[in-house]
């Protein structure tokens, strides 16, 4: 018999044994003496019994599940804090008696409550009269940001030399988010800047950012009407 055939026979027998044990899970209960003799190799603990190996496997699985649960709890806690901050912001904006007051509250809450290092509001208006607001043509904003906001979604990432111009040339900023206002940012953008490189990343969720954009857009329309 060749070595190849021997390996094939051994594999076939192993498969038969595995199939038998799967069909008869009570086998080891009826043969405790075999179970006690079985020893398995473990990377950390060396040779362990089958029962010990199962316990270690269950323990590792439990630790992974606990880690996943902790992550979910941390995310839920962070999202709860963000929701509360957004609620405070929205109440302040809606309660404003003028567009200027609404804009001031928007910028103040974003800077202070969300602990951002630079917050700018850019509006596309040829005759802008609001204080603390930047005015520019939409095409200039798109050129600076290299974004056309086709999906109308907020954009996040690393601050570049071009994008820093939206923040008055602030070169200490590391990450940013731009929230479009209106279809394809036709009304303008809210620019959020941070010195924390990990605060805004390209793969982060943007649900709360979209909410801020939607409420700001609605408040601007309300004040104009």
């Amino acid at each position: 018999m060749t070595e190849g055939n021997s390996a094939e026979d051994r594999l076939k027998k192993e498969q038969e044994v595995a199939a038998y044990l799967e069909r008869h899970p009570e086998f080891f209960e009826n043969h405790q003496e075999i179970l006690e003799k079985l020893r398995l190799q473990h990377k950390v603990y060396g040779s362990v019994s089958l029962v010990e190996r199962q316990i270690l496997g269950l323990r590792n699985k439990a630790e992974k599940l606990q880690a996943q649960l902790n992550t979910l709890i941390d995310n839920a806690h962070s999202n709860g804090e963000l929701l509360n901050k957004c609620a405070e912001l929205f109440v302040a904006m809606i309660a404003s008696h003028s567009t200027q007051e609404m804009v001031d509250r928007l910028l103040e809450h974003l800077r202070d409550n969300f602990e951002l290092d630079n917050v700018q509001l850019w509006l596309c208006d040829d005759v802008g009269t609001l204080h603390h607001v930047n005015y520019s043509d939409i095409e200039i904003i798109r050129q600076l940001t290299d974004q056309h906001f086709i999906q109308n979604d907020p954009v996040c990432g690393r601050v570049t030399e071009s994008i820093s111009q939206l923040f008055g040339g602030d070169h200490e900023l590391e990450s940013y988010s731009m929230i479009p206002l209106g279809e394809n940012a036709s009304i303008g953008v809210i620019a959020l800047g941070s010195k924390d490189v990990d605060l805004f990343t390209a793969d982060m969720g943007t649900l709360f950012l979209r909410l801020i954009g939607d409420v700001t857009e609605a408040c601007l329309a309300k004040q104009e009407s």
Side-chain angles (χ1 to χ4, degrees):
M1 181 179 294
T2 64
E3 182 178 348
N5 291 335
S6 177
E8 291 178 0
D9 291 341
R10 184 168 60 253
L11 177 60
K12 183 177 180 181
K13 290 180 181 179
E14 290 177 355
Q15 292 174 340
E16 291 175 352
V17 172
Y20 178 84
L21 292 176
E22 187 174 359
R23 293 194 305 270
H24 302 280
E26 75 284 355
F27 176 82
F28 288 112
E29 293 182 8
N30 299 331
H31 299 275
Q32 291 288 332
E33 71 284 359
I34 296 179
L35 181 62
E36 294 173 357
K37 294 178 181 179
L38 285 177
R39 307 295 294 180
L40 302 176
Q41 290 300 315
H42 192 275
K43 293 181 179 179
V44 177
Y45 299 101
S47 179
V48 296
S49 70
L50 178 61
V51 174
E52 290 172 326
R53 179 67 174 268
Q54 290 176 325
I55 293 174
L56 291 172
L58 290 174
R59 182 181 299 166
N60 291 335
K61 185 176 181 179
E63 290 175 352
K64 290 180 180 178
L65 291 174
Q66 184 62 52
Q68 294 175 356
L69 178 59
N70 291 339
T71 299
L72 290 174
I73 293 175
D74 290 341
N75 289 340
H77 181 68
S78 298
N79 287 338
E81 291 183 346
L82 280 174
L83 184 59
N84 288 333
K85 291 179 180 179
C86 284
E88 293 178 6
L89 169 63
F90 298 156
V91 170
M93 293 172 64
I94 294 172
S96 300
H97 296 91
S98 67
T99 304
Q100 184 64 63
E101 182 181 358
M102 186 274 293
V103 167
D104 290 342
R105 291 185 174 185
L106 168 67
L107 299 177
E108 179 183 359
H109 274 72
L110 288 176
R111 278 193 301 264
D112 298 340
N113 292 2
F114 290 83
E115 299 179 353
L116 297 171
D117 297 299
N118 198 322
V119 179
Q120 302 290 334
L121 175 61
W122 287 80
L123 296 180
C124 303
D125 192 338
D126 295 334
V127 190
T129 58
L130 295 172
H131 300 293
H132 314 129
V133 174
N134 306 286
Y135 291 95
S136 177
D137 182 86
I138 183 59
E139 291 304 323
I140 295 179
I141 295 177
R142 289 172 178 171
Q143 289 175 9
L144 289 175
T145 62
D146 195 26
Q147 295 288 336
H148 285 75
F149 303 100
I150 302 300
Q151 303 298 326
N152 298 314
D153 289 331
V155 177
C156 304
R158 294 291 298 273
V159 174
T160 64
E161 180 66 29
S162 178
I163 288 175
S164 69
Q165 296 182 51
L166 290 179
F167 299 97
D170 189 342
H171 293 91
E172 293 186 357
L173 301 178
E174 295 289 347
S175 64
Y176 77 96
S177 176
M178 286 181 295
I179 306 173
L181 302 174
E183 190 74 16
N184 306 133
S186 57
I187 297 176
V189 297
I190 302 174
L192 311 177
S194 174
K195 296 178 182 178
D196 182 355
V197 68
D198 296 319
L199 185 60
F200 297 114
T201 58
D203 59 348
M204 68 179 290
T206 58
L207 173 62
F208 292 106
L209 296 174
R210 289 199 302 270
L211 284 174
I212 293 173
D214 290 342
V215 173
T216 301
E217 184 180 339
C219 287
L220 287 171
K222 174 186 175 183
Q223 296 294 342
E224 292 176 357
S225 61

